[in-house]
Amino acid sequence: MSDNDVMNSPFERALSKVTVDASPAQGQARPEATAEVPPPVQQRSSAPVGGDRRRRASDMDPTDLSRFAPSDADFLRFEERFGIGPDQRSTFDSAFRIVRTQVLQAIKDRGGQVIGITSPSSRNGKTVSSIHLARACARRAEQTVVLADLNLQRPLLAGYLDAREFRSGIGFFRGEGRSEDYLTHVEDSNLLLFLSDRGTSQSAELLASDRLKQGLEAFRSVAPETVVICNLPPILGSDDVMTIMPQLDGVVMVVAAGETGFKEAEEAAKMIPREKMLCALLNKSRYASQASFED
Ligand SMILES: Nc1ncnc2c1ncn2[C@@H]1O[C@H](COP(=O)(O)OP(=O)(O)OP(=O)(O)O)[C@@H](O)[C@H]1O
Ligand SMILES: [Mg+2]
């Protein structure tokens, strides 16, 4: 392959659109690479969470997200656990404001709403990046965000956020209830969560099902300006991401500095239809340029 071929590869093109270093600046504390979260203790009841506090969606103003069950997700604990102290917060916030601006603009230009976050291989930082991106998007007053854990092989989002009070999305895929009843609302925000409590070896079958299409359709319409951010498995190594690809309007690819090989990244990028590639996000880089963090 010539240098020219490399520069014109899908991965290079994606990187040239936006490559954001989403790591703390050099010299600052690093997130704990070993941070693992115990699996959440789930509410197993098939009844909707929230009890009487929640009214049916149809009774309420569509912009009032308090109609959904309250989430017990703990974002402060998430930040502490992943080593984001007060000093790092503004760096992360700035980095993800750039990604947010790029991603929201690109998805709106395409007339779409559903964004998938994937990576070439496992442990590149998809789940952590999904959380940061969803929060950054939800900070826009007019923007509602549904953050959906569709990594049905390893649904760790709930554990990362210490969320315990939710109906596991696996139940929805198995045919129980309406997708809206699985959403929980993060208080004082425009953020809704769709979480699962355990992995399944049938993830590709569930992602290919009509239930997934119904769920995404409902999520798109929870409020007038909504984006759905889907935390996905790696694109290489299983067919989950290609299975859900027709339902996605755009894809963000997370690559980990020092971990993702070039060939691997290029192979992954080739699998994403060119028109769906929103941006590549460089994670775990040791270098961060403050100058590039301006929104
Ligand atoms: N920017 C970062 N700097 C340092 N460590 C990070 C960073 N982002 C994520 N990590 C660490 O890398 C590990 C994997 O992160 P994460 O779970 O988000 O990856 P993933 O791609 O979602 O993994 P999986 O493929 O298992 O779903 C975690 O231990 C996390 O703490
Ligand atoms: Mg993950």
Side-chain angles (χ1 to χ4, degrees), residues 221-251:
S221 338
V222 291
E225 287 278 324
T226 302
V227 289
V228 184
I229 297 179
C230 305
N231 177 51
L232 300 173
I235 195 167
L236 304 177
S238 81
D239 57 351
D240 284 21
V241 176
M242 295 318 285
T243 302
I244 197 178
M245 190 65 80
Q247 313 305 325
L248 303 177
D249 301 311
V251 177

Side-chain angles (χ1 to χ4, degrees), residues 21-24 29-37 78 81-83 92 96 117-119 121-132 149 151 153-156 160 231-234 254 256 259 281-285:
D21 188 329
S23 305
R30 307 261 310 131
E32 290 171 34
T34 53
E36 282 297 352
V37 183
F78 162 74
R81 182 182 287 134
F82 285 84
F92 271 86
F96 278 94
I117 301 201
T118 188
S119 63
S121 51
S122 61
R123 316 280 298 157
N124 291 156
K126 298 175 292 298
T127 302
V128 168
S129 301
S130 302
I131 294 169
H132 287 302
D149 198 351
N151 185 345
Q153 301 170 17
R154 271 167 66 80
L156 293 182
Y160 278 25
N231 177 51
L232 300 173
V254 177
E259 294 178 20
L281 202 160
L282 182 63
N283 192 32
K284 303 192 185 183
S285 167

Side-chain angles (χ1 to χ4, degrees), residues 103-104 106-108 110-117 133 143-148 150 207 212-221 225-232 244-252 272 275-278:
V103 165
L104 288 179
I107 201 77
K108 280 173 190 169
R110 288 160 172 78
Q113 290 174 266
V114 184
I115 300 161
I117 301 201
L133 179 59
Q143 188 70 63
T144 296
V145 179
V146 177
L147 174 58
L150 296 182
L207 292 172
L212 176 86
K213 289 185 197 140
Q214 289 164 17
L216 290 178
E217 184 55 48
F219 293 164
R220 278 197 289 263
S221 338
E225 287 278 324
T226 302
V227 289
V228 184
I229 297 179
C230 305
N231 177 51
L232 300 173
I244 197 178
M245 190 65 80
Q247 313 305 325
L248 303 177
D249 301 311
V251 177
V252 172
I272 299 168
E275 70 280 5
K276 293 197 180 188
M277 181 65 99
L278 299 178

Side-chain angles (χ1 to χ4, degrees), residues 145-173:
V145 179
V146 177
L147 174 58
D149 198 351
L150 296 182
N151 185 345
L152 302 179
Q153 301 170 17
R154 271 167 66 80
L156 293 182
L157 202 52
Y160 278 25
L161 294 175
D162 268 318
R164 290 171 166 79
E165 298 281 323
F166 61 90
R167 279 180 90 175
S168 175
I170 291 286
F172 168 72
F173 285 110

Side-chain angles (χ1 to χ4, degrees), residues 37-80:
V37 183
V41 177
Q42 302 307 334
Q43 172 169 319
R44 301 278 175 186
S45 160
S46 61
V49 287
D52 293 340
R53 280 180 295 169
R54 195 166 69 97
R55 285 182 270 166
R56 289 186 74 84
S58 54
D59 299 338
M60 306 269 305
D61 169 3
T63 61
D64 181 3
L65 301 180
S66 67
R67 69 186 188 271
F68 295 100
S71 171
D72 62 343
D74 189 339
F75 288 92
L76 268 183
R77 182 118 190 263
F78 162 74
E79 289 182 351
E80 281 166 18

